[in-house]
Amino acid sequence: MNPGPRLRERLILAAMMAISIVPFVGVLFTSLHPQGTMPAGISWPESPQWGNYLDAWRVGNIGPLLWSSTLIVLAVVPVGVLVCTMAGFALGHLRTPGRVLISSLFLAGLAVPFESAIVPLYYQAEAMGTLNTRWAIILPMIGLLAPFGVFWMSAHFRGVPSAISEAARMDGAGTTRLFLHVHLPLALPAISTLALLQFISTWNQFLVASVLVDDPGLRTMAGALGAFQGEHRTDVVLLCAGAVTIMLPTVVLFLLLQRRFVTALLAGAVK
């Protein structure tokens, strides 16, 4: 057997992994240097300053932002996953009238960047009276994450064999029971992956929180990064320490759910 193609694939994967990991390692190493310094390249400090993380927590006022981000995530992710799962089931598996047009509209929504919608969202939040509240982040995030979520879940339900639904209907299952007791358990890998992706997008959201909310204590964790940037000077070390602190929950959650994440990504290949 010729090991050439397999070796090339491994080299490509190793290169892609390095491209993804090296920036994170650089930020981690920089966060351990003495404050006020400007480290050159990626280098491990002679005396790691672990106290930088405590200073970053205090300077960035991360405690209240951690609570605020948790509230926002707990509001966005369950509602977003529920709406996307039900819509994906209707568009991907049921014979819903106009499903092709509706699916096309959701697919077109994937091409709309957050930045292009921020000005209309501002005036809409002002008209609704949600400006400068957490609802100004929660409601737009549910809508902005919906196109990908519906596309993701409809693709999953579209790939489920129709014989499963036919057998369930022959046993007397209605649409609600078919969804709750047959398709929902089969969709758990896809749902957990969608929940993880929506968690990461909401947790790291900076633009929507910064524009629609003036009170820093009502924003997401990413809003803490602005506290390390002064008018004339930026403490790069504390900025990196704050960035690592903000990224840590998403990294831990990904490590806990990586099996379901990989299962969902490979689901289409093994059916």
Side-chain angles (χ1 to χ4, degrees):
M1 182 177 178
N2 184 14
R6 180 170 296 181
L7 178 61
R8 287 195 296 269
E9 292 174 359
R10 291 180 178 177
L11 291 176
I12 293 174
L13 290 176
M16 295 176 64
M17 183 178 66
I19 293 173
S20 302
I21 293 179
V22 167
F24 178 77
V25 173
V27 172
L28 177 62
F29 285 5
T30 302
S31 67
L32 297 175
H33 280 74
Q35 297 180 27
T37 62
M38 183 68 69
I42 301 177
S43 59
W44 180 261
E46 297 181 0
S47 179
Q49 305 294 317
W50 297 101
N52 291 341
Y53 289 97
L54 295 178
D55 293 337
W57 186 280
R58 176 180 53 82
V59 174
N61 198 26
I62 293 180
L65 287 175
L66 176 63
W67 174 246
S68 180
S69 289
T70 302
L71 293 177
I72 293 172
V73 167
L74 290 177
V76 172
V77 175
V79 175
V81 170
L82 176 63
V83 171
C84 293
T85 303
M86 296 177 66
F89 178 72
L91 297 175
H93 192 77
L94 301 179
R95 298 182 179 275
T96 306
R99 63 184 183 278
V100 176
L101 176 61
I102 299 174
S103 298
S104 300
L105 292 176
F106 275 110
L107 188 61
L110 292 174
V112 180
F114 284 15
E115 293 80 4
S116 64
I118 195 64
V119 175
L121 285 175
Y122 179 88
Y123 288 108
Q124 188 174 20
E126 187 179 31
M128 294 174 60
T130 60
L131 199 64
N132 300 323
T133 66
R134 291 192 182 97
W135 290 108
I137 305 174
I138 295 171
L139 296 178
M141 288 305 300
I142 293 174
L144 292 171
L145 296 174
F148 173 79
V150 173
F151 174 76
W152 175 267
M153 294 308 302
S154 63
H156 165 78
F157 287 117
R158 197 177 298 116
V160 177
S162 58
I164 296 178
S165 297
E166 294 173 359
R169 290 191 181 279
M170 290 181 62
D171 291 337
T175 302
T176 302
R177 188 177 178 185
L178 180 67
F179 173 71
L180 294 177
H181 298 283
V182 178
H183 285 274
L184 200 59
L186 295 175
L188 286 181
I191 291 174
S192 60
T193 302
L194 178 62
L196 175 61
L197 294 176
Q198 291 198 354
F199 170 83
I200 294 174
S201 298
T202 305
W203 189 269
N204 295 329
Q205 183 54 234
F206 178 79
L207 179 63
V208 174
S210 299
V211 174
L212 302 184
V213 178
D214 291 336
D215 186 356
L218 300 178
R219 296 175 180 173
T220 56
M221 283 278 285
L225 295 178
F228 305 105
Q229 298 176 345
E231 183 178 357
H232 304 290
R233 180 177 175 272
T234 298
D235 195 327
V236 177
V237 173
L238 281 184
L239 180 63
C240 291
V244 173
T245 304
I246 293 171
M247 288 188 294
L248 189 60
T250 59
V251 173
V252 172
L253 187 62
F254 174 78
L255 293 177
L256 293 176
L257 298 178
Q258 61 178 329
R259 289 182 178 272
R260 290 188 176 274
F261 187 78
V262 174
T263 301
L265 291 179
L266 296 179
V270 298
K271 287 178 180 176

